[in-house]
Amino acid sequence: MIGIFDSGLGGLTILRALVPRFSRQRFVYVGDQAHVPYGNRPAEDVVALTRAGITYLFEAQCSLVLLGCNTATAVAARTLQRDWLPTSRFADRKVLGIVAPTVEAATQTPWAVTTPQYPQKNNTDLIAIFGTTRTISSNVYPEEILKRCPRARVAQQTCAELAGAIETGAPEEELDAIVARDVAKLLRSTGGTAPDRAILGCTHFPLVEPLFRRHLPAGTRLLSQPEIVADSLEDYLARHPRLATCSEGPRLDLRTSGNPVEVDRLARIFWPDCPPFKAATAGFAPG
Ligand code: DGL
């Protein structure tokens, strides 16, 4: 059984891409609506909240937890994978983030390539990243891109309000105005040059992808992080079949640390046939 963790609704964009690809898998999803958004929180909070969410999913018998959240991946994945998981009671389980597969797709550099090779070595593409305050300030995207394509150009734009506005069900005009402003700021930072590719580096943002498409230059290719992550998980599970085993039970089990009635209402705006959310039991939120 695979666990997906996000601060809120954003990870549903990842889950939706996984469901048709893994027809024999069961998924448990947890959205931490009690603490969303994570993107403007101090890093220590993001680490503690992410650890609590992962623990909850491991206790629900997941063998693997995928962080359906760029902020949690950027801030917490490495430290939890390296410093916490191996000495925890879940040392036989796995935690995967979503930044590395996204960068691999954006730079066309597969995971097994550790040093830049031609043509990546000479690639001077301009890659745009939109993300939360915490993801952008972590610098994880430029660092990972430049490891693979040292001559690539990266333009980053913080979207401080967007995940929160999506999560509270802001009307489309308001979301459109936020996206228009953030895209305009990014284009000012590039001096008007259209990026070759753009990464929506927050899993909430595919929920408003048509708005990004509307405001980005026509020549900018928008990458689909959910499809990229689904491709990468297929590859990972083919190499680690032990983690793909599954028991009997519901195929999709959606839980929230917030109010399930309210979360259901908002989730259906973006995923009309989304299964109902249940309350995550006590013990998830670290306070
Ligand atoms: N959806 C998350 C991400 O990918 C987090 C948004 C937030 O909670 O600020 O970054």
Side-chain angles (χ1 to χ4, degrees):
M1 198 157 62
I2 297 176
I4 314 283
F5 176 72
D6 182 45
S7 59
L9 294 173
L12 291 180
T13 61
I14 303 287
L15 178 62
R16 264 182 101 167
L18 299 182
V19 169
R21 300 272 201 111
F22 299 89
S23 54
R24 292 176 45 241
Q25 261 305 334
R26 291 175 56 201
F27 295 96
V28 186
Y29 180 92
V30 170
D32 185 12
Q33 268 87 1
H35 300 95
V36 72
Y38 281 11
N40 303 327
R41 283 181 178 273
E44 315 80 78
D45 277 21
V46 176
V47 173
L49 293 165
T50 303
R51 189 179 53 228
I54 294 171
T55 300
Y56 181 86
L57 286 162
F58 282 155
E59 283 175 348
Q61 305 311 322
C62 293
S63 45
L64 165 73
V65 171
L66 178 66
L67 299 175
C69 179
N70 289 271
T71 308
T73 301
V75 175
R78 214 176 145 72
T79 168
L80 293 178
Q81 285 160 336
R82 195 188 47 200
D83 305 332
W84 170 71
L85 193 57
T87 55
S88 77
R89 65 199 152 98
F90 307 113
D92 59 332
R93 322 274 181 101
K94 281 283 175 219
V95 175
L96 299 179
I98 57 175
V99 170
T102 306
V103 169
E104 285 159 12
T107 57
Q108 283 126 40
T109 313
W111 65 272
V113 173
T114 50
T115 49
Q117 295 177 349
Y118 182 84
Q120 286 83 358
K121 203 166 68 179
N122 296 319
N123 181 341
T124 56
D125 285 351
L126 174 59
I127 302 176
I129 322 288
F130 295 92
T132 64
T133 306
R134 198 50 63 206
T135 297
I136 299 301
S137 68
S138 78
N139 249 357
V140 65
Y141 271 104
E143 281 168 11
E144 293 296 324
I145 288 170
L146 294 173
K147 266 189 219 164
R148 293 162 175 90
C149 295
R151 298 183 60 205
R153 292 159 301 148
V154 182
Q156 298 204 90
Q157 180 58 48
T158 297
C159 305
E161 292 165 59
L162 189 53
I166 292 170
E167 197 67 44
T168 52
E172 179 161 341
E173 312 78 76
E174 193 180 316
L175 297 171
D176 188 59
I178 296 173
V179 172
R181 198 193 50 220
D182 290 340
V183 170
K185 277 196 206 154
L186 178 114
L187 292 175
R188 270 202 298 281
S189 78
T190 68
T193 306
D196 296 289
R197 262 157 272 143
I199 296 172
L200 301 186
C202 170
T203 54
H204 282 70
F205 298 173
L207 296 169
V208 293
E209 185 179 311
L211 307 182
F212 276 96
R213 188 59 285 162
R214 179 183 297 164
H215 295 290
L216 280 166
T220 299
R221 191 172 140 230
L222 203 46
L223 298 179
S224 170
Q225 188 175 49
E227 293 303 324
I228 291 168
V229 170
D231 288 344
S232 145
L233 188 62
E234 253 174 21
D235 174 65
Y236 184 84
L237 289 181
R239 289 183 285 113
H240 299 89
R242 174 183 74 82
L243 297 168
T245 53
C246 218
S247 54
E248 289 297 303
R251 174 139 155 77
L252 289 181
D253 181 348
L254 273 46
R255 306 187 192 179
T256 172
S257 60
N259 174 348
V261 176
E262 181 55 14
V263 173
D264 269 343
R265 187 183 71 74
L266 291 167
R268 298 232 157 78
I269 298 174
F270 302 105
W271 184 359
D273 50 358
C274 178
F277 273 81
K278 288 188 273 192
T281 48
F284 163 45

